[in-house]
Amino acid sequence: MKGEMKMNKQSNVYTVIYAAVMVVVVAAVLALAALALKPAQTQNVRIDKMKQILSSVNIASDAKDAEDLYKKYIVDSYLVDEQGNRVPGDAFLVDVAVQVKRPAGERELPVFVCRLDDGSEKYIFPMYGAGLWGPIWGYVSVDAGGDTIYGAYFAHQGETPGLGAEIEKPAFSDQYQGKRLFIDGVFKSVTVEKKGQKPVDGADYVDAISGGTITSKGVQSMMQNCLTPYQKFLESLKK
């Protein structure tokens, strides 16, 4: 036969081959796009983390100035263990979501040191937990003495707008300012109670969000789980 035999475009073989080629081409394009976008995505995550850390010490920032403000106010960062001793590692790179699943004695505990314009120092700790519909997280800062909360920042992935999602609003997080972590020398994490109620153990407390009790209690559990391993470190600040 002269010439080349052409494939029947109506055949099943042609359809399968065409689909396979298109899948490979689309996959290659998506892979190249992902590689091209990854540096920008990584930088965005990094900047957002800086903004959250700064929010815990009541410093407002945006994508344009977050990095400069972080470098200005966060004067040190390091890891400690459950005994309050420094251990090797980069505090900024620690995945807190992974750490909270480990026994307290095996965790790497990040510490960020902030020096404000008045010269006072605050210590910032990350938190991660579970709300009603998904993960919640945040940062809490304490005064140099280690026993009083200076500020707090909370965020969530999928809590209900107007209810559990209110944990990210200042009306909730601002309640933590001035709350004590040590009562009569005993460490007690701040609890979250329905309005009008008080904890039976004498711990400091804040009011839960109306209609968002489960998410509010999730914040309480998150703080208890994440701050308790810092007890020895906080006691060292008191001394």
Side-chain angles (χ1 to χ4, degrees):
M1 296 177 64
K2 295 182 179 181
E4 297 180 356
M5 181 179 291
K6 294 184 179 180
M7 182 177 290
N8 181 5
K9 293 184 178 182
Q10 304 300 318
S11 69
N12 291 336
V13 173
Y14 177 85
T15 302
V16 170
I17 293 175
Y18 180 82
V21 170
M22 290 303 298
V23 167
V24 172
V25 171
V26 171
V29 171
L30 291 176
L32 290 173
L35 287 174
L37 293 173
K38 187 173 182 180
Q41 292 171 338
T42 300
Q43 177 66 359
N44 288 340
V45 171
R46 183 169 170 271
I47 292 297
D48 189 56
K49 185 171 183 177
M50 291 179 179
K51 290 168 57 180
Q52 294 181 30
I53 292 172
L54 291 170
S55 292
S56 73
V57 284
N58 308 315
I59 296 175
S61 61
D62 55 35
K64 295 180 180 179
D65 62 9
E67 190 163 12
D68 289 337
L69 290 173
Y70 184 88
K71 291 177 180 178
K72 175 182 178 181
Y73 290 106
I74 305 302
V75 296
D76 197 6
S77 63
Y78 47 84
L79 298 175
V80 298
D81 59 20
E82 189 184 24
Q83 299 304 312
N85 303 312
R86 288 201 189 199
V87 295
D90 188 330
F92 195 85
L93 298 179
V94 168
D95 188 340
V96 180
V98 172
Q99 296 299 317
V100 297
K101 297 177 182 178
R102 297 176 176 174
E106 299 178 8
R107 296 185 197 177
E108 295 176 326
L109 306 171
V111 178
F112 300 91
V113 185
C114 172
R115 183 175 297 131
L116 298 177
D117 291 330
D118 61 5
S120 63
E121 290 191 346
K122 314 298 176 185
Y123 293 84
I124 304 168
F125 314 113
M127 301 175 292
Y128 190 92
L132 175 60
W133 302 113
I136 58 177
W137 63 91
Y139 294 86
V140 62
S141 62
V142 302
D143 287 327
D147 57 358
T148 304
I149 292 178
Y150 178 75
Y153 168 86
F154 303 113
H156 66 92
Q157 180 172 297
E159 299 308 291
T160 307
L163 299 175
E166 295 298 299
I167 64 170
E168 67 183 1
K169 301 293 181 63
F172 178 73
S173 60
D174 286 355
Q175 294 184 86
Y176 285 85
Q177 296 176 9
K179 299 301 181 182
R180 298 166 297 165
L181 293 174
F182 289 86
I183 307 296
D184 297 328
V186 178
F187 176 82
K188 294 184 179 181
S189 183
V190 178
T191 67
V192 182
E193 305 291 339
K194 289 185 177 180
K195 195 168 185 178
Q197 297 182 357
K198 297 181 179 180
V200 296
D201 64 352
D204 265 359
Y205 65 97
V206 300
D207 291 335
I209 296 166
S210 179
T213 303
I214 295 179
T215 307
S216 300
K217 284 296 184 180
V219 173
Q220 173 183 305
S221 298
M222 174 176 70
M223 291 190 70
Q224 176 73 36
N225 181 33
C226 294
L227 291 185
T228 299
Y230 286 98
Q231 181 176 340
K232 294 291 185 182
F233 176 77
L234 293 170
E235 290 174 346
S236 73
L237 296 179
K238 290 166 64 68
K239 297 176 181 177

